[in-house]
Amino acid sequence: MNKKKIGLNAIHRKNNYSFIPIIFKCNDNCISCIVEKNKRNKLRTPTLKNIKEDIDRIAKYSTHLEINGGEPTLREDILKIISYAHSKPTIKHLSLLTNTRMLSYSSLVKKLANFHKLKIVTTLYGHDSKTHNSITRNPESFNQKLKGIKNIIKENIELELRILVHKMNYLDINNISKFIISNFNPNNFSSIIFMSPKMTGEAKNNKNAIHISIKKSIKELIQAIKILEKTGFNITLRHYPLCVLPNKLWKYASSVTAEETEIFFPKKCDFCTQKKSCSGIWKSYYDLYKDYELKPIKNEK
């Protein structure tokens, strides 16, 4: 099943995965946000009744539900929403995509720990406040995020850490890896995911500030992964075509979060022997850079 709307806000993907934005307001102002700020401010925040109706529909289609926003933890009824989704037996996996700033309050995290299906997903943009906050455009973001992450780990809630790699932080991702090793251990995260950015919304509006070709960032990406590999962290690459990666990184690059309408395989990819194993590129990336970086793989390296 392709990506389709199944409720007021709920979206279903073909792989038994659905997501629902429960709020469009955010307490960060990320320069790389995939939704345009002006558009986001005009969207109507759904009522609790609307959300429950969407969850009821999702439970008929999906085994995995992601709750996102905006910043979902800004809703006062966030626990009611999670509890309702958690109560659905057909929903086996429940994730909360959050900047974790509100999770700097330990009382909220303690309550979230009661939901055994729940995984928290968050993105780290830099190894210090200077880099991270320049992207979130909020001076409190980095310190609150770290406090939130530590609260999550303390309560033994599953945590996925994402690193969105773009022009403003690609030279910092080695430092991010070192920071992770210095402050955490492999058991703290179910996965550390390096992602290439989707160039829509604010990201597209700010493309000169954040966009960088994949090939230009590969050297730093290889080194950052090498640092984490040595200490046993679970690593994943998302939306990196195999032909731009060295063979040793292929094992990490099978994960795809986008639907078919969002990713793109140029005509030349039809001649690649690894197409079925490849994530392709963001359609929005192709619109900017075309396919000059891509070279069909004739056989396994």
Side-chain angles (χ1 to χ4, degrees), residues 64-82:
H64 190 152
L65 168 61
E66 176 187 291
I67 296 172
N68 59 32
E71 176 47 48
T73 59
L74 294 180
R75 286 192 67 124
E76 293 183 358
D77 56 1
I78 181 62
L79 292 172
K80 291 181 180 179
I81 294 169
I82 292 174

Side-chain angles (χ1 to χ4, degrees), residues 85-141:
H86 196 269
S87 71
K88 300 293 180 179
T90 54
I91 296 176
K92 306 298 183 182
H93 306 281
L94 184 62
S95 58
L96 177 67
L97 181 60
T98 170
N99 60 27
T100 72
R101 290 183 58 198
M102 292 297 291
L103 303 188
S104 61
Y105 298 99
S106 59
S107 58
L108 176 57
V109 184
K110 289 179 184 296
K111 293 173 182 176
L112 291 175
N114 293 321
F115 303 108
H116 69 273
K117 296 179 187 178
L118 185 66
K119 175 174 74 172
I120 293 176
V121 181
T122 194
T123 303
L124 183 65
Y125 296 107
H127 83 287
D128 59 13
S129 59
K130 180 180 178 181
T131 304
H132 182 87
N133 295 349
S134 69
I135 294 169
T136 63
R137 297 186 287 194
N138 190 302
E140 303 297 326
S141 181

Side-chain angles (χ1 to χ4, degrees), residues 1-21 54 57-58 61-62 64-66 68 259 262:
M1 182 180 294
N2 290 330
K3 175 179 173 180
K4 69 175 184 178
K5 197 167 184 177
I6 60 172
L8 179 66
N9 291 291
I11 299 293
H12 176 70
R13 289 173 174 155
K14 66 177 181 178
N15 55 351
N16 292 322
Y17 186 101
S18 293
F19 63 91
I20 178 172
D54 279 351
R57 295 184 185 95
I58 287 168
Y61 287 94
S62 302
H64 190 152
L65 168 61
E66 176 187 291
N68 59 32
E259 244 331 289
E262 297 177 312

Side-chain angles (χ1 to χ4, degrees), residues 31-34 198-208 210 284 287-288:
I31 196 170
S32 52
C33 182
I34 62 172
K198 180 180 175 182
M199 297 302 295
T200 61
E202 286 297 291
K204 183 177 181 180
N205 291 342
N206 296 292
K207 63 183 180 181
N208 291 336
I210 72 165
S284 55
D287 291 341
L288 290 173

Side-chain angles (χ1 to χ4, degrees), residues 236-300:
T236 301
L237 289 171
R238 286 185 179 165
H239 311 301
Y240 284 93
L242 295 178
C243 62
V244 302
L245 297 172
N247 186 45
K248 61 185 178 181
L249 295 188
W250 283 13
K251 61 184 177 181
Y252 300 127
S254 60
S255 181
V256 179
T257 58
E259 244 331 289
E260 292 167 350
T261 56
E262 297 177 312
I263 60 176
F264 186 75
F265 287 94
K267 187 66 177 176
K268 66 169 67 173
C269 295
D270 291 344
F271 304 99
C272 180
T273 59
Q274 301 301 314
K275 182 178 178 181
K276 290 184 179 180
S277 302
C278 184
S279 65
I281 56 175
W282 288 112
K283 177 63 171 61
S284 55
Y285 181 93
Y286 175 80
D287 291 341
L288 290 173
Y289 273 87
K290 304 305 178 187
D291 62 0
Y292 81 93
E293 293 177 290
L294 307 185
K295 184 177 181 181
I297 300 167
K298 300 301 182 182
N299 47 54
E300 290 193 18

